Amino acid sequence: MNLHRIFANLAVIACLLPGLAGAASGDVSLAGTWTLVAADVIHPDGSRSHDYGDAPKGLLMIDRTGRYSLQIFRSDRPRFADPAKAKASAQEYRAAVMGSSTHYGTLAVEPVKHQLVFHIEGASFPNWEGQQQTRAFELRGNTLSYRVPPRPDGDVPLSVWRRIVH
């Protein structure tokens, strides 16, 4: 092999490396800002209902390195009676906690398996911190949907997001 061909092959490899790194982590195709379209649950009988009320709110941000931040809220969460957060009742705290789901960390995509892998660093539910959670996903244009593994009662949460910024 002559020197010219070696340099040409190295140039091709150098051009491909950034794309291969992105494809391995999967962060390039999901990078952007996403707004929540649905936070539903699919019941064992196949019926579907809203897990976070009729009009949930949410934001998912993923950067090009795979770092993410995700928030889901019930839009009908009741406000606390007292403006001091520390003076809420047990029922107010319960509604606030059960009406939201937030976490952040790093996200990897396994495109062949159609799986997202969340490496959770911090979460509103502390038991998730330090966990790796896998979700089956589908990406169609600017719509991302994923299913959470079934709950003990057989319900399967489903989140649907629409990309609003690349």
Side-chain angles (χ1 to χ4, degrees):
M1 188 179 286
N2 66 31
L3 195 54
H4 177 64
R5 183 175 280 170
I6 291 171
F7 282 121
N9 287 337
L10 287 175
V12 168
I13 291 170
C15 289
L16 290 175
L17 282 177
L20 292 174
S25 65
D27 54 55
V28 174
S29 63
L30 297 181
T33 302
W34 303 76
T35 188
L36 188 66
V37 173
D40 289 349
V41 63
I42 301 168
H43 303 289
D45 67 2
S47 65
R48 186 167 164 169
S49 62
H50 302 305
D51 213 17
Y52 283 83
D54 291 338
K57 300 183 295 186
L59 190 68
L60 169 60
M61 297 188 324
I62 305 168
D63 73 15
R64 295 203 181 280
T65 68
R67 296 211 50 85
Y68 80 92
S69 178
L70 180 152
Q71 302 87 36
I72 298 174
F73 298 98
R74 289 185 68 96
S75 60
D76 60 355
R77 289 176 302 142
R79 295 192 176 274
F80 291 5
D82 193 299
K85 185 176 174 181
K87 294 183 179 181
S89 69
Q91 294 86 358
E92 289 171 323
Y93 285 134
R94 177 175 169 63
V97 170
M98 296 306 292
S100 64
S101 179
T102 67
H103 51 94
Y104 69 89
T106 58
L107 178 65
V109 178
E110 296 182 2
V112 174
K113 295 180 180 180
H114 295 279
Q115 292 182 333
L116 302 177
V117 182
F118 290 92
H119 299 271
I120 301 173
E121 295 175 20
S124 56
F125 182 52
N127 295 21
W128 287 354
E129 293 180 4
Q131 284 191 3
Q132 174 179 302
Q133 295 186 4
T134 303
R135 312 273 191 261
F137 84 95
E138 186 174 299
L139 180 62
R140 289 191 177 169
N142 284 325
T143 301
L144 169 67
S145 61
Y146 59 79
R147 294 174 185 241
V148 176
R151 294 174 177 160
D153 64 2
D155 286 347
V156 177
L158 170 69
S159 296
V160 181
W161 303 88
R162 181 176 42 84
R163 187 177 353 224
I164 55 176
V165 176
H166 283 273

